Amino acid sequence: MKELLYGAAYYDEYMPYDRLEKDVAMMKKAGINTIRIAESTWSTCEPQEGVFDFSHVTRVMDAMEEAGINVIIGTPTYAVPTWMVKAYPDVLAETVKGRGIYGARQIMDITHPVYRYYAERVIRKLMEVSAHRKCVIGFQLDNETKYYGTAGKNVQLGFVKYLREKFNNDLNALNHEFGLDYWSNRINAWEDFPDVRGTINGSLGAEFEKYQRSLVEEFLGWQAEIVSEYKREDQFITHNLDFEWRGYSYGVQPDVDHFKCAKHLTLAGVDIYHPTQDTLTGAEIAFGGDLIRSLKNDNYLVLETEAQGYPGWTPYDGQLRLQAYSHLAAGALGVMYWHWHSIHNSFETYWRGLLSHDMEENAVYREACIIGNEFRKLSPVLSGFKKNNKVAIMVNNESLTALKWFGIEADAAGNNGIRYNDVVRWIYDALYKMNIECDIIYSESTDIEKYKAVILPAMYVADEKLLKCLKDYTMHGGTLIATFKTAFANENVKVYPDRQPHILNEVFGIYYQQFTFPKNVTLTGFESGAPEAEHFMELLMSEGAETVLAYQHSNWKKYAAVTRHAYGKGEAWYIGCMFEEKYLQQLFVRILGENGIHAAAPEQFPVIVREGINEKGENIRFYLNYAWEEQIIKVSEKFSTVLGTADEEHREVSLGSWDVCIIKIG
Amino acid sequence: MKELLYGAAYYDEYMPYDRLEKDVAMMKKAGINTIRIAESTWSTCEPQEGVFDFSHVTRVMDAMEEAGINVIIGTPTYAVPTWMVKAYPDVLAETVKGRGIYGARQIMDITHPVYRYYAERVIRKLMEVSAHRKCVIGFQLDNETKYYGTAGKNVQLGFVKYLREKFNNDLNALNHEFGLDYWSNRINAWEDFPDVRGTINGSLGAEFEKYQRSLVEEFLGWQAEIVSEYKREDQFITHNLDFEWRGYSYGVQPDVDHFKCAKHLTLAGVDIYHPTQDTLTGAEIAFGGDLIRSLKNDNYLVLETEAQGYPGWTPYDGQLRLQAYSHLAAGALGVMYWHWHSIHNSFETYWRGLLSHDMEENAVYREACIIGNEFRKLSPVLSGFKKNNKVAIMVNNESLTALKWFGIEADAAGNNGIRYNDVVRWIYDALYKMNIECDIIYSESTDIEKYKAVILPAMYVADEKLLKCLKDYTMHGGTLIATFKTAFANENVKVYPDRQPHILNEVFGIYYQQFTFPKNVTLTGFESGAPEAEHFMELLMSEGAETVLAYQHSNWKKYAAVTRHAYGKGEAWYIGCMFEEKYLQQLFVRILGENGIHAAAPEQFPVIVREGINEKGENIRFYLNYAWEEQIIKVSEKFSTVLGTADEEHREVSLGSWDVCIIKIG
Amino acid sequence: MKELLYGAAYYDEYMPYDRLEKDVAMMKKAGINTIRIAESTWSTCEPQEGVFDFSHVTRVMDAMEEAGINVIIGTPTYAVPTWMVKAYPDVLAETVKGRGIYGARQIMDITHPVYRYYAERVIRKLMEVSAHRKCVIGFQLDNETKYYGTAGKNVQLGFVKYLREKFNNDLNALNHEFGLDYWSNRINAWEDFPDVRGTINGSLGAEFEKYQRSLVEEFLGWQAEIVSEYKREDQFITHNLDFEWRGYSYGVQPDVDHFKCAKHLTLAGVDIYHPTQDTLTGAEIAFGGDLIRSLKNDNYLVLETEAQGYPGWTPYDGQLRLQAYSHLAAGALGVMYWHWHSIHNSFETYWRGLLSHDMEENAVYREACIIGNEFRKLSPVLSGFKKNNKVAIMVNNESLTALKWFGIEADAAGNNGIRYNDVVRWIYDALYKMNIECDIIYSESTDIEKYKAVILPAMYVADEKLLKCLKDYTMHGGTLIATFKTAFANENVKVYPDRQPHILNEVFGIYYQQFTFPKNVTLTGFESGAPEAEHFMELLMSEGAETVLAYQHSNWKKYAAVTRHAYGKGEAWYIGCMFEEKYLQQLFVRILGENGIHAAAPEQFPVIVREGINEKGENIRFYLNYAWEEQIIKVSEKFSTVLGTADEEHREVSLGSWDVCIIKIG
């Protein structure tokens, strides 16, 4: 796309009175050039079974086409109309809590033929009225699709058939791999397969969740095929991928394998929500962007992000603009808000849009006007902005799931403690604040050789193929960095019955037999300071590795905490416990620095520096100030100013509160 | 009633051995002149379907009649007997958790014809044996009636019919008002109406709760009609109204519209429970009394309050007496304890009565003897004690419900924060501690012109009729005070799509488009000190109003926190955020003082001063000492002593620990 | 048994690969002489209904027999195979939450005939292959049996029949004893008996739990009879009894009456789990041992205890050995770990065994080798080690259950606060740390005359027979000590309707009518210091007793907190509230000291001293150091060293960190 996208989700259906003309005028004033419509409006588009009414869709497309505003059409399938559930109550997913009750979105069984039948029909009807329209630039499949806990008899039957195939009909193999002999869970005939919702077997349970994730992949693929029948060459297919939700977009999405889903899309899409005000750091914007960009190694759409959001997020002056450029700095093609106007009823009344409930101009809208008009001017410079990162963080859903079943801090009292994404974010956030840019790749990725360093945060589940690949990677010169809880279990969440970390113990030059929760344990080996070991610690024993950090504790002092080992042409570092982020940064300075990986600029958080190459091959750099304090920054290279206040002669960039500056290096 | 009532609930049914004669003697000694019997004893009165045995009731009436003790008869319908549920399991309410299991009280479907059939019969039978008895002074309908979450198919069917009528059969109107297009919840045929228990739509959900509350009103009206067929002219009909329960009587009752229910009663009744010992403040007694008294603008019955209650409430010496007079000071006709004796089995074993489990005289009983005998002496002075308050706090159930769906502090992580009653009590408690007496009125009240000031704590749901009425009230000279979250949504919990507060923005001379949760925000404008803004803040913009308090914060300093505006002949104050109570008191001193509203006496909490006029037109004043510390109080007026220690010559009142003094002014 | 047992649970079924030969070799090296097999392996032993395969069992017995290692056979009935549940879903217990879903262990209805039919058959088949084997020294019935909440129609029908018999078909008696008139719960016909799962009546609810506990007794008796048909004279029958679980073995088991179950066993067995590292105190080992030993007044088996357990428990060097000797010091016949190897799948992957997941030698295994070889040498000295304690703590399940229904700190907000076992452990731990050894006996015990002192922690439910027995005990010279909440309710959890404590008020020379939760109340009467009253306080009034401690508080100062009373030839102490443990120790020094009860040695925790008499009649003393700090201890008697470092000449024992020393006195 030539133009940076700037826009919002727009719901003509939800308006308290006819606003279309006024909204278009306000959009134009704000430089908005794209809207997303139709997702979640099934009950309006098909008010009764087989009765279709796309008047809202058509009327909005008409208005936008006239105004020169792009439209993304969302298939309306993620919330089902009442008539369907009334006639076929079984379309609601049966979960571990039983059959659902109508009301919320995302509560149906996405595999159910009744749902599929109606979904296909409404998609086709919608495509018929929209696909040929000039204003329509692409399609979003469904929205934030998950499997919604679907685990009814039909789904479980599919799962058993899937297992039969996976294990070549060999129950002994299944029992052995999953360890079902334990507590008499052994299955001795396929027809004895128990209701999997009650299982206490982590291997079986994790496999079922993996199967449930595959339903999402199949569902999106199915929708993509339907849409493809209608779409023009120039129209994209995307999906609104999202993240583990902790009141905001936190980490790897537990219920969807983004890597697999992305194959069905021509363009990756995402929504990212995050705290603002004094807790705005940009970390979620960067994390989400780095992960989504890496899925297809390409630019991506920010289909949703907050304008005002919940009251606690009402942005300070400048923050909306800072956020917008942070998305671009990660490789986004633009920014779209959820949503244009604050709605006046129902669940998300306080998830406020650009316009407040009074639908007049307000502080946020006025800032959007600035952003939209800057975007227009900057499009020639910023379009096609690409990354060439040297560091990758490798993640996978299987480890996330397994560490839910076997919590890192799980104890005999049933507490589960920190989770997979806490480790992922521990690693990511340290790099982010040091301005070391990275890709976030899934373990199925096949091109890791291009990275100078690959980091494995708690890669608990790792099959032997992956482990051999990582071994080769290091052997051939890569820098491999792993934390505790890596390579502990195979793809069936069976703990490897030999030295941990499995296979990689040779690469890291260490092994361990014991681990514990640290109490009053500090780490020695830093030049100054000695952080506490936190959450979990492995008692590492060297088999050739150098002990970089050791534990200080009466009983654990004989064990290493962080080790380094030359392996082949490469180097392998093992981090056996968690500790304060600033010390992790110190460690990364050493590990990465010694392997020739440095930040683009010496600044650190709250000044965030992001870099990349635009379509013309120019080196573009963003300075983002995540603070009230103004900043004057020395730039070592010659540059020209793209946006913001800079003194090219004295090579200085000036950043106000929550401000941004973009320069072209050279 | 000429005599102050003093009494207790009495359960001959629960006695471990025959105690009646001894209990009557102990009651007489304590000055007890009234007991309440029979409520909750259905399984004793009707041991098998159609078999009646009122021997406990009759024997107690006989004994009381002989002893000259009044009896209040409670209909026994709030706990159903086993035989009914065994034969008709469907009489148990079906709630969002499914059909209940027999055991607790208050678990039936109060609309169920089976329940109604048997309830009517047992009420009539009980009336036949009791209504003509001389000792019987009145009747209590059921007890603490609620709707118990009843939401079965029958109830939902009634709800749909109710909606059909409300919206004149116009589904479009319903969809539009409730915003059902959102998330595809639109209902396009009445027969598609979904199970409302699953709804995520706050408008639909709040309407259903309103409908459920109307079932309580209908139920009490139905019982009142039956009882009226039997009762004598001199007998009253009351009900035991209660409050939001937070381990004690906290605020407006969420599940019952007291205002509407009170129409079915000839005399309002209430139960009030509260902490004691060092946390006894009298605030719950005063709050409950002010609200219940205002329902019928008349004196009321305290049908239940604690004697000893739970172990944490065991009263200090003097507290039982202080509490008793606090009830009278609010306009109660007397005090009745729940209950006479501590029971030896089942759920409320530790909700101890006047007598402990040993049923001997004890410390509390001995204090009751003092109270009962004082009551007898004071009856001529204190009967018909009335209020003439100049301040009203206006509440409604609709705002309470809406702020449950849309929590004041609700965030994206799903936390809900403070509730409606926290705001109500914030306002109330400040006035209480300043000794500014007030009425607590429901928004349906039609006679607000009699108040000098009306206060709206978080009147979130307000229809246009009410808003225009409040506008007129101010225009004509009233002082209107509102907090944040007032006039935000209409009667269907649809946010008003124009300037907030709707209609009233003109009255207050302000509007706002944004709000947030305050962090490190202080308020400037007080003569000394600067409280923190707490919980929630609206970013007020003046349109003519004077900024009385402003926010101190880098980003919010341009907005007002508290404003004042002359409107017509009146004045309007808007309070945009919460803050520490003592500062609210300072603000009230200013607001009310400038409008000629002052406390009866200059004392402040822990000395509570209450005032009113007795039947003879005399001005009676209570001094209540909520503290260990003794107090000597100067009285500016001439007075004579009704109760307690006072020096009339030097115009001084002396209060010991947890002590009370009553004087007649003039 | 002549040899101290040292062993582990062993699961050939769970092995990732064939390990038997290697495991036997490693066991031999570690001095392991006993393993437990087969419990929980039903689905392996009977892969399909009626198809039996005991090859794992047989192969392990063969190997062990050859190696000279003992085998304990566990009946495999506490986890049911999938085929049974698939065919008969009703075998899963129906609890208050409804019918269970297959997955976890211990979810069946232990009374269900289908379950019983299959369980009996598999037990008989297992006995047939194992009972005659030389290596088999005994049998464990099931494992940690409970009733698993079973409350289906069949169970409730049994309960009603049980009540009919208990009350001689007299419903009036039942209603009166249980107080069912309350809230209309009265049952006027047996066929009206409601679903007891919903009851809010503590008497009925507690009786049902007692009935459910009786199902466990009946079940174990039934298994014992079956096993007895096969077992040899020299083989024992045991069961793995356990405790209230608070993430570790905390106190009296709520769901099983150990005293009654023990009658079905020839040898008591137990599992004990506890924190280690800096929180290892030995208290759970001692508590569990004292309770289990007292059941049959004999030595007992530790069938399970942790080797490594959860990560937080990974033991420090020396702790595994210290723990092992602590078990022996309480009278255990030896120590068996759960379990030999860490398993690689399913629920207890992190409940690690002696071997870690790599199944190599590790730190813990190496310490086990030391222990096992020491055990072998010490067997002649330590076998048949017996106690002769002078103090007994008396407990019962009925008080535990009742204090769940009526929590000690239960308040009107629904909080329940501390529980029965908190009081039991408060008493026990104080004695433990003072090195006062005690028996823990159930209230059905008939031989209390042998104790110099009997302590009743919160013996809330006590029938009159027991109370008269305790009265006689004191009258005849015993020292009776009771805490608050003793003798408050009868065996039907009906509060005694006279002076508390019922009957015993004469013995203690006190009574009370009121109680409260202490706030800012201190206790006066200690020589130095004044602890706060905590959790609960009774307001004691003397009727002859000496006030030993009094409350310091404006309102409660007139009441006693701790009293002492001479009664007959004995003495009775009443402790009316809780307070800090170290003050309780001071109190015990006085109470017990004055009655001639002293610790074996003057040391206190962290040095634990335990004593007893071995088979030869020699006086054996253990010194156990629960600390990092080394200790030099003076011994007042002549002694010879059994284990550890001691200077017999200078009569000194030396203890390193977490070290043990055993001496023979005289």
Side-chain angles (χ1 to χ4, degrees), chain C residues 246 403 407-411 414-420 422 535:
Chain C
R246 294 195 184 177
L403 290 174
I408 294 170
E409 295 181 280
D411 65 22
N415 308 305
N416 227 22
I418 61 161
R419 289 173 272 172
Y420 175 70
D422 290 285
H535 299 296

Side-chain angles (χ1 to χ4, degrees), chain A residues 205-217:
Chain A
E207 189 75 18
F208 185 56
E209 291 182 46
K210 190 174 171 184
Y211 177 75
Q212 288 174 309
R213 286 195 299 272
S214 79
L215 304 178
V216 177
E217 296 144 25

Side-chain angles (χ1 to χ4, degrees), chain B residues 308-314 338-339 342-353 357, chain C residues 182 402-403 405-412 460 485-486 488-489 493 495 500 512 515 517 536 538:
Chain B
Q308 300 187 78
Y310 267 86
W313 293 352
T314 307
W338 201 85
H339 41 167
S342 302
I343 52 181
H344 300 82
N345 290 93
S346 205
F347 202 70
E348 295 184 318
T349 300
Y350 284 88
W351 208 294
R352 290 161 307 147
H357 291 106
Chain C
Y182 173 86
L403 290 174
W405 281 87
F406 300 103
I408 294 170
E409 295 181 280
D411 65 22
Y460 185 82
K485 288 282 183 193
T486 288
F488 203 79
V493 197
V495 173
Q500 280 103 8
Y512 62 93
F515 36 78
F517 303 141
F536 186 78
E538 289 165 354

Side-chain angles (χ1 to χ4, degrees), chain C residues 610-624:
Chain C
R610 304 276 106 173
E611 226 176 46
I613 308 290
N614 70 7
E615 220 158 34
K616 302 173 196 160
E618 295 163 331
N619 189 1
I620 304 295
R621 185 182 295 167
F622 291 73
Y623 286 95
L624 307 156

Side-chain angles (χ1 to χ4, degrees), chain A residues 113-182:
Chain A
V114 168
Y115 170 68
R116 288 289 185 100
Y117 171 76
Y118 288 127
E120 176 164 352
R121 192 169 67 179
V122 77
I123 295 169
R124 289 188 183 277
K125 293 285 181 188
L126 176 61
M127 295 305 292
E128 284 166 15
V129 300
S130 66
H132 62 284
R133 294 294 297 252
K134 184 184 148 205
C135 61
V136 174
I137 58 170
F139 303 93
Q140 176 187 310
L141 310 175
D142 203 69
N143 189 54
E144 299 175 355
T145 311
K146 316 277 180 322
Y147 55 81
Y148 320 136
T150 194
K153 284 195 176 165
N154 53 331
V155 173
Q156 294 206 34
L157 188 65
F159 177 56
V160 174
K161 289 177 180 173
Y162 154 86
L163 285 178
R164 233 188 227 268
E165 189 173 325
K166 169 169 171 157
F167 286 102
N168 282 316
N169 210 24
D170 179 354
L171 266 176
N172 279 339
L174 180 150
N175 282 312
H176 184 262
E177 267 302 291
F178 288 2
L180 290 171
D181 288 349
Y182 171 87

Side-chain angles (χ1 to χ4, degrees), chain A residues 40-112:
Chain A
S40 87
T41 66
W42 195 342
S43 69
T44 316
C45 299
E46 190 179 1
Q48 287 288 281
E49 198 264 282
V51 178
F52 296 93
D53 173 1
F54 292 104
S55 55
H56 282 290
V57 174
T58 301
R59 137 189 167 84
V60 172
M61 289 190 299
D62 290 348
M64 297 302 156
E65 211 155 271
E66 186 176 329
I69 295 175
N70 301 320
V71 174
I72 299 170
I73 299 285
T75 66
T77 48
Y78 96 128
V80 291
T82 58
W83 54 257
M84 192 195 302
V85 176
K86 203 75 181 185
Y88 305 99
D90 286 2
V91 299
L92 296 188
E94 189 178 358
T95 73
V96 71
K97 293 175 185 166
R99 183 81 61 197
I101 301 185
Y102 184 83
R105 61 181 176 184
Q106 303 180 298
I107 55 170
M108 59 285 182
D109 175 4
I110 58 170
T111 75
H112 200 289

Side-chain angles (χ1 to χ4, degrees), chain B residues 180-194:
Chain B
L180 289 170
D181 287 350
Y182 172 86
W183 280 2
S184 210
N185 278 182
R186 186 177 182 82
I187 299 164
N188 293 296
W190 288 102
E191 53 274 29
D192 289 344
F193 216 99

